[in-house]
Coordinates of all heavy atoms in Angstrom, one line a residue:
M519 N -82.0 -9.0 11.0 CA -80.9 -9.6 10.1 C -79.6 -9.5 10.9 O -79.4 -8.7 11.7 CB -80.6 -8.7 8.9 CG -79.5 -9.3 8.0 SD -79.4 -8.4 6.4 CE -77.9 -8.8 5.8
E520 N -78.8 -10.7 10.8 CA -77.5 -10.8 11.5 C -76.6 -9.7 11.0 O -76.4 -9.5 9.9 CB -77.0 -12.2 11.1 CG -75.5 -12.4 11.6 CD -75.3 -12.3 13.1 OE1 -75.9 -13.2 13.6 OE2 -74.5 -11.4 13.5
T521 N -76.1 -9.0 12.0 CA -75.2 -7.7 11.6 C -73.9 -8.0 11.0 O -73.3 -7.1 10.5 CB -75.1 -6.7 12.8 OG1 -74.6 -7.4 14.0 CG2 -76.5 -6.2 13.3
N522 N -73.4 -9.2 11.3 CA -72.1 -9.5 10.8 C -72.0 -10.0 9.4 O -71.0 -10.4 8.8 CB -71.3 -10.5 11.7 CG -70.8 -9.8 13.0 OD1 -70.4 -8.5 12.9 ND2 -70.8 -10.4 14.1
Y523 N -73.2 -10.1 8.8 CA -73.2 -10.5 7.3 C -73.2 -9.4 6.4 O -73.7 -8.2 6.6 CB -74.5 -11.3 7.2 CG -74.3 -12.8 7.7 CD1 -74.3 -13.0 9.0 CD2 -74.1 -13.8 6.8 CE1 -74.1 -14.2 9.6 CE2 -73.8 -15.1 7.4 CZ -73.9 -15.3 8.7 OH -73.6 -16.5 9.2
R524 N -72.4 -9.6 5.3 CA -72.1 -8.6 4.3 C -72.4 -9.2 3.0 O -72.5 -10.3 2.7 CB -70.7 -8.1 4.3 CG -70.4 -7.5 5.6 CD -70.9 -6.2 5.9 NE -70.6 -5.4 7.0 CZ -71.2 -5.6 8.3 NH1 -72.3 -6.4 8.4 NH2 -70.8 -5.0 9.3
R525 N -72.4 -8.2 1.8 CA -72.8 -8.7 0.6 C -71.7 -8.2 -0.3 O -71.1 -7.1 -0.4 CB -74.2 -8.0 0.1 CG -74.6 -8.4 -1.2 CD -75.7 -7.6 -1.6 NE -77.0 -7.8 -0.7 CZ -77.8 -8.8 -0.9 NH1 -77.9 -9.5 -1.9 NH2 -78.9 -8.8 -0.2
C526 N -71.3 -9.2 -1.2 CA -70.1 -8.8 -2.1 C -70.7 -7.9 -3.2 O -71.7 -8.1 -3.7 CB -69.7 -10.1 -2.8 SG -68.6 -10.0 -4.2
I527 N -69.9 -6.9 -3.5 CA -70.2 -5.8 -4.5 C -70.3 -6.4 -5.9 O -70.8 -5.8 -6.8 CB -69.4 -4.6 -4.3 CG1 -68.0 -4.9 -4.7 CG2 -69.6 -3.9 -2.9 CD1 -67.1 -3.7 -5.0
S528 N -69.7 -7.6 -6.1 CA -69.7 -8.1 -7.5 C -70.7 -9.1 -7.8 O -71.6 -9.0 -8.5 CB -68.3 -8.7 -7.8 OG -67.3 -7.7 -8.0
C529 N -70.7 -10.1 -7.0 CA -71.8 -11.3 -7.2 C -72.9 -11.2 -6.3 O -73.8 -12.0 -6.5 CB -71.0 -12.7 -7.1 SG -70.5 -13.0 -5.3
R530 N -72.9 -10.3 -5.3 CA -73.9 -10.1 -4.5 C -74.2 -11.3 -3.5 O -75.3 -11.4 -2.8 CB -75.3 -9.8 -5.1 CG -75.1 -8.7 -6.1 CD -76.3 -7.7 -6.3 NE -75.8 -6.5 -6.9 CZ -75.6 -5.4 -6.3 NH1 -75.8 -5.4 -5.0 NH2 -75.3 -4.4 -6.8
R531 N -73.3 -12.2 -3.4 CA -73.3 -13.2 -2.3 C -73.4 -12.7 -1.0 O -72.5 -11.7 -0.8 CB -72.2 -14.2 -2.6 CG -72.2 -15.5 -1.8 CD -71.0 -16.4 -2.3 NE -69.8 -15.9 -1.8 CZ -69.2 -16.3 -0.6 NH1 -69.7 -17.1 0.2 NH2 -68.0 -15.8 -0.2
V532 N -74.1 -13.2 0.0 CA -74.1 -12.7 1.4 C -73.4 -13.9 2.1 O -73.7 -14.9 2.0 CB -75.6 -12.6 1.9 CG1 -75.6 -12.3 3.2 CG2 -76.2 -11.5 1.1
A533 N -72.4 -13.4 2.9 CA -71.7 -14.2 3.8 C -71.2 -13.5 5.1 O -71.3 -12.2 5.1 CB -70.5 -14.8 3.1
H534 N -70.6 -14.2 6.0 CA -70.1 -13.6 7.2 C -68.9 -12.6 6.7 O -68.1 -12.9 5.9 CB -69.5 -14.5 8.1 CG -69.2 -14.0 9.4 ND1 -68.0 -13.5 9.9 CD2 -70.1 -13.9 10.5 CE1 -68.1 -13.0 11.1 NE2 -69.3 -13.2 11.6
R535 N -68.8 -11.5 7.4 CA -67.7 -10.5 7.0 C -66.5 -11.0 7.0 O -65.5 -10.4 6.2 CB -67.9 -9.2 7.9 CG -67.7 -9.5 9.4 CD -68.1 -8.3 10.3 NE -67.2 -7.2 10.0 CZ -67.1 -6.0 10.5 NH1 -68.1 -5.9 11.5 NH2 -66.5 -5.0 10.2
N536 N -66.1 -11.9 7.8 CA -64.7 -12.5 7.9 C -64.4 -13.3 6.6 O -63.2 -13.5 6.2 CB -64.7 -13.5 9.0 CG -64.7 -12.8 10.4 OD1 -64.4 -11.7 10.4 ND2 -64.9 -13.6 11.4
E537 N -65.2 -13.7 5.7 CA -65.1 -14.3 4.5 C -64.7 -13.3 3.4 O -64.3 -13.8 2.3 CB -66.3 -15.1 4.2 CG -66.7 -16.3 5.0 CD -67.7 -17.1 4.5 OE1 -67.9 -17.3 3.1 OE2 -68.4 -17.7 5.2
F538 N -64.9 -12.1 3.5 CA -64.6 -11.1 2.5 C -63.4 -10.4 2.6 O -62.9 -10.1 3.7 CB -65.8 -10.2 2.5 CG -67.2 -10.7 2.1 CD1 -68.3 -10.6 2.7 CD2 -67.3 -11.5 0.7 CE1 -69.5 -11.2 2.4 CE2 -68.4 -12.1 0.2 CZ -69.6 -11.8 1.0
F539 N -63.0 -9.8 1.6 CA -61.9 -8.6 1.6 C -62.7 -7.4 2.0 O -63.9 -7.2 1.3 CB -61.3 -8.4 0.3 CG -60.3 -9.5 0.0 CD1 -60.1 -9.8 -1.4 CD2 -59.6 -10.2 0.9 CE1 -59.1 -10.9 -1.8 CE2 -58.8 -11.2 0.5 CZ -58.5 -11.5 -0.8
R540 N -62.3 -6.6 2.8 CA -62.9 -5.3 3.2 C -62.2 -4.2 2.7 O -61.0 -4.1 3.1 CB -63.2 -5.3 4.7 CG -63.8 -3.9 5.1 CD -64.0 -4.0 6.6 NE -64.5 -2.7 7.2 CZ -63.7 -2.1 8.0 NH1 -62.5 -2.3 8.4 NH2 -64.2 -0.8 8.4
V541 N -62.8 -3.5 1.8 CA -62.0 -2.2 1.3 C -62.6 -1.1 1.9 O -63.9 -0.9 2.0 CB -62.1 -2.2 -0.3 CG1 -61.4 -1.1 -0.8 CG2 -61.7 -3.4 -0.8
V542 N -61.9 -0.3 2.5 CA -62.4 1.0 3.3 C -61.9 2.3 2.8 O -60.7 2.4 2.5 CB -61.8 0.7 4.8 CG1 -62.7 1.7 5.7 CG2 -62.1 -0.6 5.3
R543 N -62.7 3.2 2.8 CA -62.4 4.6 2.5 C -62.3 5.2 3.8 O -63.3 5.5 4.4 CB -63.4 5.3 1.5 CG -62.9 6.6 1.1 CD -63.8 7.5 0.4 NE -64.8 8.0 1.4 CZ -65.7 8.7 1.3 NH1 -66.0 9.3 0.1 NH2 -66.7 9.1 2.2
N544 N -61.2 5.6 4.3 CA -60.8 6.2 5.5 C -61.6 7.5 5.5 O -61.5 8.4 4.7 CB -59.5 6.3 5.8 CG -59.2 6.9 7.3 OD1 -59.6 7.9 7.7 ND2 -58.7 5.9 8.0
H545 N -62.4 7.7 6.5 CA -63.2 9.0 6.6 C -62.5 10.3 6.9 O -63.0 11.4 6.7 CB -64.6 8.8 7.5 CG -64.2 8.8 8.9 ND1 -64.5 9.9 9.8 CD2 -63.6 7.9 9.7 CE1 -64.1 9.6 11.0 NE2 -63.6 8.4 11.0
Q546 N -61.2 10.1 7.4 CA -60.5 11.2 7.6 C -59.5 11.6 6.5 O -59.4 12.7 6.0 CB -59.7 11.0 9.0 CG -60.5 11.2 10.2 CD -59.9 10.9 11.4 OE1 -59.1 9.9 11.6 NE2 -60.1 11.8 12.6
T547 N -58.8 10.5 6.0 CA -57.7 10.8 5.1 C -58.3 10.5 3.7 O -57.6 11.0 2.7 CB -56.6 9.7 5.3 OG1 -57.1 8.4 5.0 CG2 -55.9 9.7 6.6
R548 N -59.4 10.0 3.5 CA -60.1 9.8 2.1 C -59.2 8.7 1.4 O -59.5 8.6 0.3 CB -60.2 11.0 1.4 CG -61.0 12.1 2.0 CD -62.6 11.7 2.1 NE -63.3 12.5 2.9 CZ -64.3 13.2 2.5 NH1 -64.7 13.4 1.1 NH2 -65.0 14.0 3.3
Q549 N -58.2 8.1 2.1 CA -57.4 7.2 1.4 C -58.3 5.7 1.4 O -58.9 5.4 2.3 CB -56.2 6.8 2.1 CG -55.2 8.0 2.0 CD -54.4 8.1 0.7 OE1 -54.7 7.2 -0.2 NE2 -53.5 9.0 0.7
V550 N -58.1 5.1 0.2 CA -58.8 3.8 0.1 C -57.9 2.8 0.4 O -56.7 2.6 -0.2 CB -59.5 3.5 -1.2 CG1 -60.1 2.2 -1.3 CG2 -60.5 4.6 -1.5
T551 N -58.1 1.9 1.5 CA -57.3 0.7 1.9 C -57.8 -0.5 2.2 O -59.2 -0.4 2.0 CB -56.5 1.3 3.2 OG1 -57.5 1.5 4.1 CG2 -55.7 2.4 3.0
L552 N -57.3 -1.5 2.4 CA -57.7 -2.7 2.7 C -57.7 -3.0 4.1 O -56.7 -3.0 4.8 CB -56.8 -3.8 1.9 CG -57.5 -5.1 1.5 CD1 -58.7 -4.9 0.6 CD2 -56.5 -5.8 0.7
D553 N -58.8 -3.5 4.7 CA -58.9 -4.1 6.0 C -58.7 -3.2 7.2 O -58.9 -3.5 8.3 CB -57.9 -5.3 6.3 CG -58.4 -6.4 5.4 OD1 -59.5 -6.5 5.1 OD2 -57.4 -7.2 5.2
E554 N -58.4 -1.9 7.0 CA -58.0 -1.1 8.2 C -58.8 0.3 8.2 O -59.2 0.8 7.1 CB -56.5 -0.8 8.2 CG -55.9 -0.2 6.9 CD -54.5 -0.1 6.9 OE1 -53.8 -1.1 7.2 OE2 -54.0 0.9 6.8
G555 N -59.1 0.7 9.3 CA -59.7 2.0 9.4 C -61.1 2.0 9.5 O -61.8 1.0 9.4
M556 N -61.6 3.2 9.7 CA -63.2 3.4 9.9 C -63.6 4.2 8.7 O -62.9 5.1 8.3 CB -63.5 4.2 11.0 CG -63.1 3.4 12.5 SD -64.2 2.3 12.8 CE -65.7 3.3 13.4
G557 N -64.7 3.9 8.2 CA -65.3 4.7 7.0 C -66.2 3.8 6.2 O -66.6 2.7 6.6
R558 N -66.5 4.4 5.1 CA -67.4 3.8 4.1 C -66.7 2.4 3.6 O -65.5 2.4 3.3 CB -67.6 4.5 2.9 CG -68.6 4.0 1.9 CD -68.9 5.0 0.9 NE -69.8 6.0 1.2 CZ -71.1 5.9 1.1 NH1 -71.8 4.8 0.4 NH2 -71.9 6.9 1.4
S559 N -67.3 1.3 3.7 CA -66.8 0.0 3.3 C -67.3 -0.8 2.2 O -68.6 -0.6 2.0 CB -66.8 -0.9 4.5 OG -66.2 -0.4 5.6
A560 N -66.6 -1.5 1.4 CA -67.2 -2.5 0.3 C -66.7 -3.8 0.6 O -65.5 -4.0 1.1 CB -66.8 -1.9 -0.9
Y561 N -67.4 -4.8 0.3 CA -67.0 -6.1 0.6 C -66.7 -6.9 -0.8 O -67.7 -6.8 -1.6 CB -67.8 -6.8 1.5 CG -67.8 -6.2 2.9 CD1 -68.6 -5.0 3.3 CD2 -67.0 -6.7 3.9 CE1 -68.5 -4.4 4.5 CE2 -67.0 -6.1 5.1 CZ -67.7 -5.0 5.3 OH -67.7 -4.2 6.6
L562 N -65.8 -7.7 -0.9 CA -65.5 -8.4 -2.0 C -65.2 -9.9 -1.6 O -64.4 -10.2 -0.6 CB -64.3 -7.9 -2.7 CG -64.7 -7.0 -4.0 CD1 -63.2 -6.6 -4.5 CD2 -65.4 -7.5 -5.1
C563 N -65.7 -11.0 -2.4 CA -65.3 -12.4 -2.1 C -63.8 -12.5 -2.5 O -63.2 -11.7 -3.4 CB -66.1 -13.2 -3.1 SG -67.7 -13.3 -3.1
P564 N -63.1 -13.4 -1.8 CA -61.6 -13.5 -2.2 C -61.5 -14.4 -3.3 O -60.9 -15.4 -3.4 CB -61.0 -14.1 -0.8 CG -62.1 -14.8 -0.3 CD -63.4 -13.9 -0.5
S565 N -62.1 -14.0 -4.5 CA -62.0 -14.7 -5.7 C -61.6 -13.9 -6.8 O -62.1 -12.7 -6.9 CB -63.3 -15.4 -5.9 OG -64.2 -14.6 -6.6
A566 N -60.8 -14.5 -7.8 CA -60.4 -13.8 -8.9 C -61.6 -13.2 -9.8 O -61.5 -12.0 -10.1 CB -59.5 -14.6 -9.9
S567 N -62.8 -13.9 -9.9 CA -63.8 -13.5 -10.7 C -64.5 -12.2 -10.2 O -64.8 -11.2 -10.9 CB -64.8 -14.5 -11.1 OG -65.4 -14.9 -9.7
C568 N -64.6 -12.1 -8.8 CA -65.2 -11.0 -8.3 C -64.4 -9.8 -8.2 O -64.8 -8.7 -8.5 CB -65.6 -11.3 -6.8 SG -67.1 -12.4 -6.7
I569 N -63.1 -9.9 -8.1 CA -62.0 -8.8 -8.2 C -62.1 -8.3 -9.6 O -62.1 -7.1 -9.8 CB -60.7 -9.3 -7.7 CG1 -60.7 -9.7 -6.2 CG2 -59.7 -8.1 -8.0 CD1 -59.6 -10.2 -5.8
K570 N -62.1 -9.3 -10.5 CA -61.9 -8.9 -11.9 C -63.2 -8.0 -12.4 O -63.1 -7.1 -13.1 CB -62.0 -10.1 -12.8 CG -61.5 -9.9 -14.3 CD -61.5 -11.2 -15.1 CE -60.4 -12.2 -14.7 NZ -60.4 -13.4 -15.4
Q571 N -64.3 -8.5 -12.0 CA -65.7 -7.9 -12.2 C -65.7 -6.4 -11.5 O -66.2 -5.5 -12.2 CB -66.7 -8.7 -11.7 CG -68.1 -8.3 -12.4 CD -69.2 -9.3 -11.9 OE1 -70.1 -8.7 -11.5 NE2 -69.2 -10.5 -11.9
A572 N -65.3 -6.4 -10.3 CA -65.3 -5.0 -9.7 C -64.4 -4.0 -10.3 O -64.6 -3.0 -10.4 CB -64.8 -5.2 -8.1
Q573 N -63.2 -4.6 -10.9 CA -62.3 -3.6 -11.5 C -62.9 -3.3 -12.7 O -62.8 -2.1 -13.2 CB -60.9 -4.4 -11.7 CG -59.8 -3.5 -12.2 CD -58.5 -4.1 -12.1 OE1 -58.3 -5.3 -12.1 NE2 -57.4 -3.4 -12.1
R574 N -63.4 -4.3 -13.6 CA -63.9 -4.0 -14.9 C -65.0 -3.0 -14.9 O -65.1 -2.0 -15.8 CB -64.4 -5.3 -15.6 CG -64.4 -5.0 -17.2 CD -64.8 -6.4 -17.8 NE -65.9 -7.0 -17.1 CZ -66.2 -8.3 -17.0 NH1 -65.1 -9.1 -17.3 NH2 -67.2 -8.8 -16.5
K575 N -65.9 -3.1 -13.9 CA -67.1 -2.1 -13.8 C -67.0 -1.1 -12.9 O -67.8 -0.3 -12.6 CB -68.2 -3.0 -13.4 CG -68.7 -4.1 -14.5 CD -69.9 -4.7 -14.0 CE -70.3 -5.8 -15.2 NZ -71.5 -6.6 -14.8
N576 N -65.7 -0.9 -12.4 CA -65.4 0.2 -11.5 C -66.3 0.3 -10.3 O -66.7 1.4 -9.8 CB -65.4 1.6 -12.3 CG -64.4 2.6 -11.7 OD1 -63.5 2.1 -11.0 ND2 -64.5 3.7 -12.2
R577 N -66.7 -0.9 -9.8 CA -67.6 -1.0 -8.7 C -67.2 -0.4 -7.4 O -67.9 0.3 -6.8 CB -67.9 -2.5 -8.5 CG -68.9 -3.0 -9.5 CD -70.3 -3.3 -8.8 NE -71.3 -3.5 -9.8 CZ -71.5 -4.9 -10.2 NH1 -71.0 -5.9 -9.7 NH2 -72.5 -5.1 -11.0
L578 N -65.9 -0.6 -7.1 CA -65.4 -0.1 -5.9 C -65.5 1.4 -5.7 O -65.9 1.9 -4.8 CB -63.8 -0.5 -5.7 CG -63.7 -1.9 -5.0 CD1 -62.1 -2.3 -4.9 CD2 -64.3 -2.1 -3.7
S579 N -65.0 2.1 -6.9 CA -65.2 3.5 -6.8 C -66.5 4.0 -6.7 O -66.8 5.0 -6.0 CB -64.6 4.0 -8.3 OG -63.2 3.7 -8.5
R580 N -67.6 3.3 -7.3 CA -68.8 3.8 -7.2 C -69.5 3.5 -5.7 O -70.1 4.4 -5.2 CB -69.7 2.9 -8.2 CG -70.4 4.0 -9.2 CD -71.3 3.1 -10.2 NE -70.6 2.6 -11.2 CZ -71.1 1.8 -12.2 NH1 -72.3 1.4 -12.0 NH2 -70.5 1.5 -13.2
V581 N -69.2 2.4 -5.3 CA -69.7 2.1 -3.9 C -69.0 3.0 -2.8 O -69.7 3.5 -1.9 CB -69.4 0.6 -3.6 CG1 -69.8 0.3 -2.0 CG2 -70.3 -0.3 -4.4
L582 N -67.7 3.2 -2.9 CA -67.0 4.1 -2.0 C -67.1 5.4 -2.3 O -66.6 6.3 -1.6 CB -65.5 3.5 -2.1 CG -65.3 2.1 -1.6 CD1 -63.8 1.8 -1.7 CD2 -65.7 1.9 -0.1
K583 N -67.6 5.8 -3.5 CA -67.8 7.2 -3.9 C -66.4 7.9 -3.8 O -66.2 9.1 -3.3 CB -68.8 8.0 -3.1 CG -70.2 7.5 -3.0 CD -71.1 8.4 -2.4 CE -72.5 7.7 -2.2 NZ -73.2 7.1 -3.5
S584 N -65.4 7.2 -4.4 CA -64.0 7.7 -4.2 C -63.2 7.0 -5.3 O -63.5 5.8 -5.7 CB -63.4 7.4 -3.0 OG -62.2 7.8 -2.8
Q585 N -62.4 7.7 -5.8 CA -61.4 7.1 -6.8 C -60.5 5.9 -6.3 O -59.9 6.2 -5.2 CB -60.4 8.1 -7.5 CG -59.7 7.7 -8.7 CD -60.7 7.4 -9.8 OE1 -61.7 8.2 -10.0 NE2 -60.5 6.3 -10.5
V586 N -60.6 4.7 -6.9 CA -59.8 3.6 -6.4 C -58.6 3.4 -7.4 O -58.9 3.2 -8.6 CB -60.6 2.4 -6.2 CG1 -59.9 1.2 -5.9 CG2 -61.8 2.7 -5.3
K587 N -57.4 3.4 -6.8 CA -56.3 3.2 -7.6 C -56.1 1.9 -8.1 O -56.5 0.9 -7.5 CB -55.1 3.7 -6.9 CG -55.0 5.3 -6.5 CD -53.7 5.5 -5.8 CE -53.9 6.9 -5.1 NZ -53.2 7.0 -3.9
D588 N -55.3 1.6 -9.2 CA -55.1 0.3 -9.7 C -54.2 -0.4 -8.7 O -54.3 -1.6 -8.5 CB -54.3 0.4 -11.1 CG -55.2 0.7 -12.1 OD1 -56.5 0.6 -11.9 OD2 -54.8 1.1 -13.2
S589 N -53.4 0.3 -7.9 CA -52.6 -0.4 -7.0 C -53.3 -1.1 -5.9 O -52.9 -2.1 -5.4 CB -51.6 0.8 -6.2 OG -52.4 1.8 -5.7
L590 N -54.6 -0.6 -5.6 CA -55.4 -1.3 -4.7 C -55.9 -2.6 -5.3 O -55.9 -3.6 -4.6 CB -56.7 -0.5 -4.2 CG -57.4 -1.2 -3.1 CD1 -57.0 -0.7 -1.8 CD2 -58.8 -1.1 -3.4
Y591 N -56.1 -2.6 -6.5 CA -56.6 -3.8 -7.2 C -55.4 -4.8 -7.3 O -55.5 -6.0 -7.1 CB -57.2 -3.6 -8.7 CG -58.5 -3.0 -8.5 CD1 -58.8 -1.7 -8.8 CD2 -59.6 -3.8 -8.3 CE1 -60.0 -1.1 -8.8 CE2 -60.9 -3.3 -8.3 CZ -61.2 -2.0 -8.6 OH -62.4 -1.4 -8.5
D592 N -54.2 -4.3 -7.6 CA -53.0 -5.1 -7.6 C -52.8 -5.8 -6.2 O -52.5 -7.0 -6.2 CB -51.8 -4.2 -7.7 CG -51.8 -3.8 -9.3 OD1 -52.4 -4.3 -10.1 OD2 -50.9 -2.9 -9.6
F593 N -53.1 -5.1 -5.2 CA -53.0 -5.6 -3.8 C -53.9 -6.8 -3.6 O -53.6 -7.7 -3.0 CB -53.3 -4.4 -2.8 CG -52.8 -4.6 -1.4 CD1 -51.5 -5.2 -1.3 CD2 -53.5 -4.2 -0.3 CE1 -51.0 -5.5 0.0 CE2 -53.1 -4.5 0.9 CZ -51.7 -5.1 1.1
L594 N -55.2 -6.5 -4.1 CA -56.3 -7.6 -4.1 C -55.8 -8.8 -4.7 O -55.9 -9.9 -4.4 CB -57.6 -7.0 -4.5 CG -58.3 -6.0 -3.6 CD1 -59.5 -5.5 -4.3 CD2 -58.9 -6.7 -2.4
W595 N -55.3 -8.5 -6.0 CA -54.7 -9.7 -6.8 C -53.7 -10.4 -6.1 O -53.7 -11.7 -6.1 CB -54.2 -9.2 -8.1 CG -55.3 -8.9 -9.1 CD1 -55.5 -7.6 -9.7 CD2 -56.1 -9.8 -9.7 NE1 -56.6 -7.8 -10.5 CE2 -57.0 -9.0 -10.5 CE3 -56.4 -11.2 -9.6 CZ2 -58.0 -9.5 -11.4 CZ3 -57.5 -11.8 -10.4 CH2 -58.3 -11.0 -11.2
Q596 N -52.8 -9.8 -5.4 CA -51.8 -10.4 -4.6 C -52.3 -11.3 -3.6 O -51.9 -12.4 -3.3 CB -50.8 -9.3 -4.0 CG -49.6 -8.8 -4.8 CD -48.9 -7.9 -4.0 OE1 -48.7 -7.8 -2.9 NE2 -48.3 -6.9 -4.9
R597 N -53.3 -10.7 -2.9 CA -54.0 -11.4 -1.8 C -54.7 -12.7 -2.2 O -54.5 -13.8 -1.6 CB -55.1 -10.6 -1.1 CG -54.5 -9.5 -0.2 CD -54.4 -10.2 1.1 NE -54.1 -9.1 2.3 CZ -55.2 -8.6 2.9 NH1 -56.4 -9.2 2.8 NH2 -54.8 -7.7 3.8
V598 N -55.4 -12.5 -3.4 CA -56.1 -13.8 -3.8 C -55.2 -14.8 -4.4 O -55.5 -16.0 -4.3 CB -57.1 -13.2 -4.9 CG1 -56.6 -13.0 -6.2 CG2 -58.3 -14.3 -4.9
S599 N -54.1 -14.3 -4.9 CA -53.1 -15.4 -5.4 C -52.4 -16.2 -4.3 O -51.7 -17.2 -4.5 CB -52.2 -14.8 -6.4 OG -51.5 -13.8 -5.8
Q600 N -52.3 -15.6 -3.2 CA -51.7 -16.1 -2.1 C -52.7 -17.2 -1.4 O -52.3 -18.1 -0.5 CB -51.3 -15.2 -0.9 CG -50.0 -14.4 -1.3 CD -49.8 -13.2 -0.5 OE1 -50.7 -12.9 0.5 NE2 -49.0 -12.4 -0.9
A601 N -53.9 -17.0 -1.6 CA -55.0 -17.9 -1.0 C -54.8 -19.3 -1.6 O -54.6 -19.6 -2.7 CB -56.4 -17.5 -1.4
P602 N -54.7 -20.4 -0.6 CA -54.6 -21.7 -1.1 C -55.7 -22.3 -1.9 O -55.4 -23.2 -2.8 CB -54.6 -22.5 0.2 CG -55.3 -21.6 1.2 CD -55.0 -20.1 0.8
T603 N -56.8 -21.7 -2.0 CA -57.9 -22.2 -2.8 C -57.8 -21.7 -4.3 O -58.5 -22.1 -5.1 CB -59.3 -21.7 -2.4 OG1 -59.3 -20.3 -2.1 CG2 -59.7 -22.5 -1.0
A604 N -56.9 -20.8 -4.5 CA -56.8 -20.1 -5.9 C -55.7 -20.9 -6.7 O -54.9 -20.1 -7.4 CB -56.5 -18.7 -5.7
Q605 N -55.7 -22.1 -6.7 CA -54.6 -22.8 -7.2 C -54.8 -23.4 -8.6 O -54.1 -24.3 -9.1 CB -53.8 -23.8 -6.3 CG -53.3 -23.2 -5.1 CD -51.9 -22.4 -5.5 OE1 -51.3 -22.7 -6.5 NE2 -51.9 -21.2 -4.9
T606 N -56.1 -23.1 -9.0 CA -56.4 -23.7 -10.3 C -55.7 -23.0 -11.6 O -56.1 -21.9 -11.9 CB -58.0 -23.7 -10.5 OG1 -58.5 -22.5 -10.0 CG2 -58.7 -24.8 -9.7
I607 N -54.9 -23.6 -12.2 CA -54.1 -23.1 -13.2 C -54.5 -23.7 -14.6 O -54.4 -25.0 -14.8 CB -52.6 -23.2 -13.0 CG1 -52.1 -22.5 -11.8 CG2 -51.8 -22.7 -14.2 CD1 -50.9 -22.8 -11.1
E608 N -55.0 -22.9 -15.5 CA -55.3 -23.3 -16.7 C -54.1 -23.7 -17.6 O -53.1 -23.0 -17.5 CB -56.1 -22.2 -17.6 CG -57.5 -21.9 -16.9 CD -58.5 -23.0 -17.1 OE1 -58.7 -23.7 -18.0 OE2 -59.4 -23.0 -16.1
P609 N -54.1 -24.9 -18.3 CA -53.1 -25.3 -19.2 C -52.9 -24.4 -20.4 O -53.8 -23.7 -20.9 CB -53.3 -26.6 -19.6 CG -54.6 -26.8 -19.5 CD -55.3 -25.9 -18.4
Ligands
ZN1976 ZN1 -68.4 -12.0 -5.0

């Protein structure tokens, strides 16, 4: 299997790691951050539905075996709302 491929923790879609948000629990500080550091990682599609599902089911906390703060989800929401593909606005 190609080592640069990862699976989304919400929809289980497999894609190249560059296509996903990477959430990392730093193995030294135990802080959960986005994109940086070494440690246990979880991958999420940059889509509102996958983030919503991860938050609702507390998937990140389970995968990372660590408490994930709401501020991290807020950060993900900010990221996904900046993405040019996320411009579908319901009337
Ligand atoms: Zn997904």
